[in-house]
Amino acid sequence: MAFLSKDPGIAAENPLFCSILANTMLSVVPGISGAGPTPEKTLLTPVLDAELIAKGAITSVPARPDTPTGCPTPASITRSIMELCGTRALFINAGLSHLPTVPCMDVYGEAGNDPRFMDAVPRAEALFQSGESLGEFLSRMCDLLIVGECVPGGTTTALCVLRALGYPARVSSSFIENPVKMKEEVWNAVAGRIRAEGVESPMDILRC
């Protein structure tokens, strides 16, 4: 089929899809994220997307799995792929604002702060070490580990991390019209903090 990528030739017998769920306070900044009907409700999106992927429907709250433009959430596509492949997802709570409604592994993180004003992930090193341990464990449970994420505000977060690491990155958006100007304003504020604090190491960049 023309719209599908070329078959990569990977023949996994025991694949595992792992979805990492988290929040960042960047998503509640008006205009940054379209991953929810309102900025405040983006904090519920990872929980509801996981529910949709795991159960095929959102049942914990009266909500439809749509973006503000009426398009289905990418979680609908993920659910379809899970059904097509005959597998299920493993969810990891990496720092949610709300308790998940489906079973999750937990690395005991906290929702990320707004990096314009304070460290986004104060316990970045501990979470990195937890991720290493969990990755090593999961690699023994499958022969193909597929890692996804649901983090509203995540593309803006990725922009800041990549730029801070020295990459001239640009990122996409959950909005039809990418709010590039707003994202650049966020990055400029974060870059100012990084320069003022003399942050250089990759781990400290992740913390900021």
Side-chain angles (χ1 to χ4, degrees), residues 88-172:
R88 290 291 180 267
L90 171 68
F91 299 101
I92 297 175
N93 177 1
L96 289 168
S97 296
H98 298 277
L99 287 175
T101 55
V102 298
C104 291
M105 298 188 78
D106 201 332
V107 294
Y108 307 105
E110 298 175 353
N113 299 314
D114 188 330
R116 295 175 299 174
F117 309 116
M118 64 188 76
D119 284 353
V121 189
R123 297 180 56 250
E125 187 167 2
L127 287 174
F128 181 82
Q129 292 171 352
S130 294
E132 275 193 319
S133 297
L134 190 55
E136 182 179 357
F137 172 76
L138 293 177
S139 69
R140 299 177 182 179
M141 307 294 291
C142 62
D143 57 359
L144 175 63
L145 179 61
I146 305 165
V147 180
E149 53 79 25
C150 182
V151 185
T155 57
T156 306
T157 301
L159 175 70
C160 293
V161 171
L162 290 169
R163 291 276 183 87
L165 290 171
Y167 296 97
R170 292 185 295 177
V171 295
S172 60

Side-chain angles (χ1 to χ4, degrees), residues 18 24 41 47 49 57 61 67 69 80 89 93 95 106 118 120 129 137 139 141 145 148 153 159 163 184 190 199 208:
C18 174
T24 165
K41 288 184 178 179
V47 171
D49 275 3
V61 296
T67 65
T69 58
S80 299
N93 177 1
D106 201 332
M118 64 188 76
Q129 292 171 352
F137 172 76
S139 69
M141 307 294 291
L145 179 61
L159 175 70
R163 291 276 183 87
E184 292 293 340
V190 173
V199 172
C208 285

